[in-house]
């Protein structure tokens, strides 16, 4: 299915900060973390192109470039990731149908690619193969691209939109296309947005979801099938942590880590064991402990907390990654993937980021959008060439002699909507020798973890609060203290 379909996780790509600090540990060692900033590494896809956002705020692009959707100044496809020169400080990126978007740390946005309907938002309708400034936007924290329209979430919780609007997907109360941003009507306290094929979603801070645009297949989830050019509430959804929008269907991740779906279901992309469309949310069968969701044109992905990936829906190009081309209306496990940390979708291709920073992809590859140096479709995951998205940040320890030694280094922090996923590859260097180890941490206050070493003191700064993690042991009696230096709170897990 290649009808310029788009699917998008809407949990946002947020900037995290570790600031210099000195903290007295029980061991009499002082731990410090130098000033550093990074964004959440992420992978996004358009119809036939892919974007990889690195932790340093730069982008790598690959795949179809016929209308400049790679933004590199040319129109030649590439089947391996290439750095997008001249664009830095990116905090959010999204692939639309045949266009691309980026939000920068200064609150402005950039766009490039096809612009027939004004989806680049720069005040005209001329295609461009290099990033241009989206007109009149400030305080933007994330972006999302649909087939031919675009969304931007501002830090004040309001939403701007531009591009194609015949089905009301801009949500501004009319059906006129707009080549510059307009305000989505009546929305405030929005914390995430997702642009689908011809519909749009907004997740509010109270856990409810609003939708607008095309509704012929129940895309809006409000119990009807009439298009609307202003936001309406999705029926029966509460405690939602993240949303994703596909070509004609939508997903919501709940706080209990189950998934709901609604809309078009001809290929089983709702995952509820049927192929009937649903104009209200239905339960995706057999999924638990889900931490992230993503939608393609007619398929869906879910990441479990155990690091496995599950897929359902259309599979004609191998986008389900199970080694077959068989479509399924219930979730199946993607083959060969373990310890994954994030997922993303293009039209008919899928992507996943592993906890070590390596990137994997499967499905349609005619334009090189899998990034593995080939143009053959892949029914099982293949590694994206020469791409590692792990951030590197150093922690230091002050030894008894007053000299600094490297305490360790860690990979990246991933915001999963309701909390944080921490991945690390740590090497302890007290004097001579290194003892490498790995760990996972998950949830808003880090109360699930896996580790293979005995003691880990660790410091981080999050949401204006400094925390110390002091982990002891494995097996029986293992656990860790979590100390909040601002409130004095202590937790044992």
């Amino acid at each position: 299915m290649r009808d310029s379909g788009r699917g998008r996780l809407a949990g946002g790509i947020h900037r995290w900060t570790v600031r210099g600090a000195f903290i007295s540990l029980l061991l009499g060692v002082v731990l410090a973390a130098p000033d550093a900033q990074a964004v959440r590494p992420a992978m996004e896809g358009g119809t036939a192109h892919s974007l990889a956002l690195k932790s340093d705020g730069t982008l790598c692009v690959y795949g179809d470039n016929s209308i400049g959707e790679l933004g590199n100044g040319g129109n030649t496809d590439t089947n391996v990731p290439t750095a997008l020169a001249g664009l830095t400080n990116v905090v959010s990126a999204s692939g639309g149908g045949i266009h691309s978007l980026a939000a920068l740390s200064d609150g402005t946005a950039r766009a490039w690619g096809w612009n027939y309907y004004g989806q680049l938002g720069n005040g005209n309708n001329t295609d461009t193969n290099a990033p241009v400034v989206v007109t009149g936007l400030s305080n933007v924290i994330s972006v999302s691209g649909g087939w031919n329209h675009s969304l931007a979430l501002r830090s004040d919780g309001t939403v701007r939109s531009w591009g194609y609007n015949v089905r009301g997907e801009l949500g501004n109360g009319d059906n006129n296309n707009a080549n510059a941003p307009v305000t989505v009507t009546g929305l405030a306290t929005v914390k995430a947005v997702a642009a689908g094929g011809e519909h749009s979603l907004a997740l509010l801070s109270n856990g409810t979801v609003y939708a607008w645009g095309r509704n012929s297949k129940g895309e809006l989830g409000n119990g009807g099938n009439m298009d609307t050019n202003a936001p309406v509430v999705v029926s029966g959804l509460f405690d939602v942590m993240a949303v994703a929008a596909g070509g004609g269907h939508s997903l919501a991740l709940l706080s209990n880590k189950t998934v709901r779906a609604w809309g078009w279901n001809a290929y089983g992309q709702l995952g509820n064991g049927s192929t009937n469309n649903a104009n209200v949310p239905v339960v995706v069968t057999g999924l638990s402990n889900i931490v992230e969701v993503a939608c393609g044109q007619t398929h869906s992905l879910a990441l479990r907390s155990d690091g496995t990936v599950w897929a359902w829906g259309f599979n004609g190009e191998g986008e389900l990654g199970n080694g077959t081309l068989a479509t399924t209306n219930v979730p199946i496990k993607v083959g060969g993937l373990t310890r994954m940390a994030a997922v993303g979708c293009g039209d008919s291709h899928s992507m996943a980021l592993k906890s070590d920073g390596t990137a994997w992809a499967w499905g349609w590859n005619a334009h090189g959008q899998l990034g593995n140096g080939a143009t053959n479709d892949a029914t099982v995951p293949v590694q994206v060439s020469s791409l590692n998205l792990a951030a590197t940040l150093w922690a230091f320890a002050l030894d008894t002699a007053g000299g600094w030694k490297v305490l360790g280094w860690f990979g990246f922090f991933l915001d999963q909507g309701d909390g944080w996923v921490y991945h690390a590859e740590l090497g302890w260097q007290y004097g001579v020798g290194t003892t490498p180890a790995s760990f996972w941490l998950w949830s808003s206050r880090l109360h699930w973890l896996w580790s293979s070493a005995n003691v880990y003191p660790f410091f981080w700064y999050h949401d204006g609060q400094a925390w110390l993690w002091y982990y002891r042991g494995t097996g029986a009696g293992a656990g860790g203290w979590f100390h909040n230096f601002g409130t004095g709170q202590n937790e044992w897990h």
Side-chain angles (χ1 to χ4, degrees), residues 223-306:
N225 291 88
M226 297 290 294
D227 297 354
T228 175
N229 57 22
V232 296
V233 67
V234 178
S235 299
L237 283 183
F238 306 96
D239 297 323
V240 177
M241 306 308 299
V243 289
H249 72 292
S250 303
L251 299 177
L253 173 62
L254 305 191
S255 61
N256 65 5
K257 300 171 185 61
T258 62
V259 181
R260 302 296 183 267
W262 62 96
W264 189 28
N265 196 30
Y267 299 96
Q269 56 264 46
L270 302 189
N272 67 333
S274 80
T275 53
N276 300 318
N277 298 340
N279 59 16
V280 294
V282 296
V283 176
V284 178
T285 301
L287 287 183
S288 61
N289 298 314
I290 301 303
V291 296
E292 187 169 79
V293 290
C295 293
Q297 160 74 338
T298 51
H299 75 289
S300 305
L301 297 180
L303 172 65
R304 293 193 70 205
S305 60
D306 63 1

Side-chain angles (χ1 to χ4, degrees), residues 152-411:
L153 173 61
R154 299 182 73 237
S155 59
D156 63 1
T158 61
V159 181
R160 301 294 185 267
S161 58
W162 59 96
Y164 188 70
N165 196 30
V166 171
R167 309 306 289 262
E169 48 266 72
L170 299 190
N172 66 328
D174 66 39
N175 293 80
N176 301 316
N177 298 341
N179 60 18
V182 297
T183 300
V184 177
T185 302
L187 287 182
T189 69
V190 176
K191 71 174 188 178
V193 292
E198 294 181 309
H199 71 289
S200 303
L201 302 176
L203 170 61
L204 273 58
S205 60
N206 65 2
T208 61
V209 179
Y210 281 74
W212 58 97
R214 181 174 179 169
N215 200 27
S216 60
K217 297 179 175 66
E219 292 96 318
L220 306 189
N222 66 335
N225 291 88
M226 297 290 294
D227 297 354
T228 175
N229 57 22
V232 296
V233 67
V234 178
S235 299
L237 283 183
F238 306 96
D239 297 323
V240 177
M241 306 308 299
V243 289
H249 72 292
S250 303
L251 299 177
L253 173 62
L254 305 191
S255 61
N256 65 5
K257 300 171 185 61
T258 62
V259 181
R260 302 296 183 267
W262 62 96
W264 189 28
N265 196 30
Y267 299 96
Q269 56 264 46
L270 302 189
N272 67 333
S274 80
T275 53
N276 300 318
N277 298 340
N279 59 16
V280 294
V282 296
V283 176
V284 178
T285 301
L287 287 183
S288 61
N289 298 314
I290 301 303
V291 296
E292 187 169 79
V293 290
C295 293
Q297 160 74 338
T298 51
H299 75 289
S300 305
L301 297 180
L303 172 65
R304 293 193 70 205
S305 60
D306 63 1
T308 60
V309 178
W310 297 74
W312 59 97
F314 187 72
N315 197 27
E317 276 84 36
E319 49 265 71
L320 303 189
N322 68 333
T324 77
L325 297 177
T327 294
T328 176
N329 58 19
V330 294
I332 58 174
K333 189 175 181 179
V334 177
L337 294 181
T338 59
R339 300 185 66 183
M340 308 311 290
V343 290
C345 286
D347 178 354
S348 298
H349 67 290
S350 304
M351 297 164 282
L353 176 60
K354 195 169 183 177
S355 61
D356 62 2
T358 58
W360 300 78
W362 58 99
W364 186 38
N365 195 31
H367 296 273
Q369 58 264 44
L370 301 189
N372 66 330
T375 53
N376 302 317
D377 296 349
T379 61
V380 295
V382 295
Q383 186 169 353
V384 179
S385 300
S386 304
L387 184 62
N388 191 298
L389 300 181
T392 299
L393 191 67
W394 297 93
F396 299 90
L398 181 65
D399 66 18
T400 55
W404 287 97
K405 294 186 182 298
V406 175
L407 175 66
W409 56 92
F410 56 89

Side-chain angles (χ1 to χ4, degrees), residues 396-442:
F396 299 90
L398 181 65
D399 66 18
T400 55
W404 287 97
K405 294 186 182 298
V406 175
L407 175 66
W409 56 92
F410 56 89
F412 46 81
F413 287 14
L414 299 180
D415 181 350
Q416 298 288 21
D418 66 341
W420 293 78
V421 172
Y422 294 76
H423 169 262
E425 299 290 342
L426 295 181
W428 303 99
Q429 296 183 359
Y430 290 117
V432 180
T434 301
T435 304
S438 297
F439 65 84
W440 279 82
L441 300 125
W442 184 84

Side-chain angles (χ1 to χ4, degrees), residues 26 31 45 75 77 101 108 112 126 128-129 133 158 176 195 269 305 307 372 374 380 387-388 439 467 481:
L26 298 176
L31 175 67
N75 293 89
D77 296 356
L101 303 168
T108 63
W112 56 97
T126 303
T128 175
N129 58 15
V133 176
T158 61
N176 301 316
Q269 56 264 46
S305 60
N372 66 330
V380 295
L387 184 62
N388 191 298
F439 65 84
W467 287 76
W481 283 104

Side-chain angles (χ1 to χ4, degrees), residues 6 19 43-44 105 112 125 131 143 185 261 285 293 342 350 367 447 461:
R6 285 301 315 112
R19 296 196 173 112
M43 302 177 71
E44 281 277 354
S105 61
W112 56 97
N125 295 76
V143 288
T185 302
T285 301
V293 290
S350 304
H367 296 273
H447 60 220
Y461 185 92

